[in-house]
Amino acid sequence: QVQLVESRGGLVQAGGSLRLSCVASGRTFSPYAMAWFRQAPGKEREFVAAVEWSGGSTYYADSMKGRFTISRDNARNTVYLQMNSLKPEDTAVYYCAARQTIGLPTSRYAYRYWGQGTQVTVSS
């Protein structure tokens, strides 16, 4: 099976930056896409960004566009999320996910594998 492990998050002041990483392990890890989701207290898990594994094409939620950047390192089986200009409303548990099927969907149910989540807190 595939395991995804996110790096530790952190506490960041508004306007600051943070980079998350997620390392995948497994017998034959070869996803079509990897993505980041987040879940704030009392809210449903929401899509953040996705990256196509081979070609590197990306797709972002509107609220993250221009501030967040998703990237991947195929050789290291790692996906990154660079977060800039952070806002208090970005506070959430961030999860990485992977899927084997074509597409960059925004639905959490389209992704087969998930990390354990990491807490990101943005203070005002």
Side-chain angles (χ1 to χ4, degrees), residues 52-101:
E52 189 269 317
W53 202 244
S54 296
S57 63
T58 58
Y59 185 75
Y60 296 89
D62 288 343
S63 61
M64 266 64 77
K65 188 176 182 180
R67 298 190 300 120
F68 290 9
T69 302
I70 188 171
S71 61
R72 90 294 188 200
D73 186 333
N74 295 36
R76 295 179 179 272
N77 289 340
T78 302
V79 63
Y80 303 93
L81 183 67
Q82 178 66 48
M83 302 182 290
N84 299 324
S85 301
L86 284 164
K87 307 173 181 179
E89 50 263 45
D90 294 320
T91 295
V93 176
Y94 284 71
Y95 300 86
C96 67
R99 66 183 260 117
Q100 298 278 23
T101 310

Side-chain angles (χ1 to χ4, degrees), residues 32-33 35 37 47 49-50 59 99 101-108 110-111:
Y32 177 83
F37 288 75
F47 174 79
Y59 185 75
R99 66 183 260 117
T101 310
I102 189 172
L104 300 176
T106 61
S107 172
R108 62 177 293 185
Y111 294 84

Side-chain angles (χ1 to χ4, degrees), residues 10-33:
L11 175 62
V12 185
Q13 293 184 2
S17 299
L18 185 66
R19 189 179 76 162
L20 303 179
S21 63
C22 174
V23 180
S25 63
R27 290 280 80 191
T28 55
F29 183 72
S30 184
Y32 177 83

